Amino acid sequence: DNAISNAFRHATSPDSPVNLAVTTAPIGNGELRLVFVLTNQVSPAKAPLTREFLARVWAGTHCRPGPAASATSDGIGLRQAFLAADQHDMALDLVQHGTEVRFTARVIVSVADYPAPPQPTDPRPFPPDLHVCVIDDSEQSRRMLAQYLRRRVTANVHVFGESVRDVEPFVE
């Protein structure tokens, strides 16, 4: 979600195409490799992405505390994506060639056969003490996720991402 939001936010124009491709490949033992590739075009006037920039974001030295002061990136969303991917053993890559930016996420998942689900008698089949934590640097996404999850899943929704200070409590 964060990568898609960033792709639209940093696109050359509102009409610039943003493409998402998802591929799967069996690797044996009931596992699949999922690869998500998101591409967009960015303005040639913007500073290009560099490995140094990405290293600073990963280290947390690029992010500014507090809400972003402008529409330009402060790096917190990208850092959140890196941290979330790390928690799920997902490999991320972000590169820029000319004006094309390519975000790639790779993860290995287990495939399970699920029996037909029983017909729920309770419209909320989740445990009442379930706690859900979400993180996103987009205020709109945070509100949308919180509202949906509170209505459909649990009242115990904890939302993070307003500033870089939210990263540590989210990971904990």
Side-chain angles (χ1 to χ4, degrees):
D1 174 52
N2 186 282
I4 293 170
S5 175
N6 280 343
F8 281 106
R9 185 180 321 141
H10 297 293
T12 307
S13 72
D15 299 328
S16 295
V18 172
N19 298 301
L20 174 64
V22 181
T23 58
T24 63
I27 57 173
N29 296 326
E31 292 183 327
L32 285 177
R33 176 178 289 112
L34 295 177
V35 179
F36 303 85
V37 178
L38 183 67
T39 57
N40 70 314
Q41 299 293 316
V42 295
S43 170
K46 285 190 173 187
L49 292 173
T50 63
R51 291 286 169 197
E52 293 79 17
F53 166 79
L54 294 174
R56 286 194 316 272
V57 170
W58 177 246
T61 58
H62 175 72
C63 301
R64 293 185 306 265
S70 71
T72 59
S73 177
D74 64 0
I76 189 170
L78 189 54
R79 176 143 168 79
Q80 291 168 352
F82 286 167
L83 289 169
D86 189 51
Q87 292 293 309
H88 297 285
D89 294 324
M90 183 180 277
L92 297 185
D93 192 34
L94 181 62
V95 295
Q96 181 175 350
H97 299 290
T99 59
E100 182 186 79
V101 173
R102 179 177 298 259
F103 177 87
T104 305
R106 294 175 184 81
V107 65
I108 295 174
V109 297
S110 296
V111 179
D113 290 325
Y114 291 101
Q119 295 298 322
T121 55
D122 181 356
R124 300 182 86 166
F126 299 98
D129 60 344
L130 176 69
H131 287 257
V132 176
C133 297
V134 297
I135 189 164
D136 199 301
D137 68 334
S138 163
E139 181 181 348
Q140 181 180 6
S141 292
R142 287 192 309 269
R143 282 187 301 194
M144 182 178 63
L145 281 167
Q147 182 180 19
Y148 178 83
L149 291 169
R150 286 182 180 127
R151 187 174 45 224
R152 304 275 181 166
V153 179
T154 179
N156 303 313
V157 177
H158 310 279
V159 181
F160 301 88
E162 186 175 332
S163 76
V164 71
R165 289 183 290 272
D166 279 358
V167 173
E168 188 176 329
F170 170 76
V171 170
E172 291 174 358

